[in-house]
Amino acid sequence: TFSSQDCSSRTVNYKMGDDDKKRKRDGDSPTDGSGNKQMELLSAWFCPYAQRAWMAMEIKCPGQFKVTEALKITDPDGVYSRDSLDKIPLLKESNPLGLVPVIIDRRSNKPMSVCDSLICVEYIDEVFGDVDANKLLPGGPAQRAEARMWSSRLNDDIATQFYVLLLKQNKEDQDKAADKMLSAVLDFCQKCKGPFFYGDEISMVDITIAPWLVGARMEVVLKHFRNFEVPSTAEYSKYFEWRDSVLKHPAFVATASPDFEAMKRVYCRYADGTALVVKSKET
């Protein structure tokens, strides 16, 4: 199975050696006297759940954290299998489940590890609530509760259904997952104020679904493997306006993988139904 809020094993090897990627992860601005970052995100470039947390940090505390790649495939050819996943020791120490994202906050004498992607988003929004940046859960108690409910619903009906659509090999099951995703997108469109869900500023609701509905996973993965795309009809017009706004948002630009072919390879084992199969060590 897979977690609805975290990533543990959805990848092939990918080298992050170019200057732009290094800049994104290492940054230039120290946050304490020793030059060490006090905030650290344990991530994986291929993980959409980790991208949620990373987007929140780009918005609320840019330059004050480092991103550490915590998962990799040990197979020399980069072939995915459940038993070839390597996790760095810090990930195992920070989250017993071995899942990303994990935010490690070392700003106090008692370092804090925060797990689960949407909890990470809320945590960053709260601890950096006094900075000059938009609130990811905006408004009063009622609107913040509404945002949490929308995020929960969209997580179930879009993020989770993304994997159902890929993993299921039966056309009827695929169609059900696709219909559920499109129904959620349509409901989102009807509520979205534009350019983002609550208006001019991006929120947790937008971050909840952006990694799946914008960029490689939508444009390449679902379209290539399942011929899935949002219809170009009037009722979905708000989606395309929202998508274009997300594509230009600095937090999405900074966190999205530009390598669409590598992303396609990540999900090919999902599409043929073998992603969750553990290879026998005797063969």
Side-chain angles (χ1 to χ4, degrees), residues 13 22 43-44 46-47 62 65 79 81 87 104 106-107 118 134 140 185-186 209 212 222 266 272-273 275 280:
N13 272 347
K22 187 177 189 300
S43 183
F46 56 87
C47 178
F65 66 95
V79 177
S81 64
K87 305 176 183 182
I104 305 175
R106 302 185 180 92
R107 295 175 301 154
L118 292 179
N134 64 284
V185 172
L186 185 58
I209 56 175
W212 288 268
L222 287 184
V266 168
D272 66 16
S280 170

Side-chain angles (χ1 to χ4, degrees), residues 132-143:
D132 185 20
N134 64 284
K135 293 290 291 182
L136 301 179
L137 275 82
Q143 183 168 304

Side-chain angles (χ1 to χ4, degrees), residues 25-43:
R25 280 156 171 72
D26 294 341
D28 297 315
S29 303
T31 58
D32 61 22
S34 68
N36 296 320
K37 293 288 194 295
Q38 294 174 299
M39 301 287 292
E40 183 173 4
L41 173 64
L42 303 186
S43 183

Side-chain angles (χ1 to χ4, degrees), residues 97-208:
L97 297 177
L99 306 174
V100 298
V102 178
I103 292 174
I104 305 175
D105 187 347
R106 302 185 180 92
R107 295 175 301 154
S108 70
N109 293 329
K110 294 182 178 180
M112 175 74 176
S113 292
V114 183
C115 309
D116 187 289
S117 61
L118 292 179
I119 293 177
C120 286
V121 172
E122 288 204 48
Y123 179 76
I124 290 299
D125 195 41
E126 290 184 13
V127 298
F128 291 97
D130 58 345
V131 300
D132 185 20
N134 64 284
K135 293 290 291 182
L136 301 179
L137 275 82
Q143 183 168 304
R144 292 197 297 273
E146 179 190 53
R148 291 185 181 98
M149 290 188 290
W150 267 100
S151 292
S152 178
R153 186 268 171 104
L154 295 173
N155 183 68
D156 290 341
D157 290 353
I158 291 179
T160 298
Q161 292 305 310
F162 170 91
Y163 297 101
V164 174
L165 178 55
L166 282 178
L167 282 166
K168 293 294 185 181
Q169 303 301 297
N170 179 280
K171 184 65 165 58
E172 182 179 355
D173 291 336
Q174 292 174 7
D175 289 343
K176 288 180 180 178
D179 289 344
K180 198 166 188 177
M181 288 184 69
L182 287 176
S183 177
V185 172
L186 185 58
D187 289 347
F188 176 85
C189 290
Q190 293 170 348
K191 177 66 177 180
C192 183
K193 293 181 179 179
F196 300 107
F197 188 75
Y198 282 120
D200 291 336
E201 302 290 349
I202 200 167
S203 73
M204 186 172 79
V205 179
D206 306 289
I207 291 172
T208 296

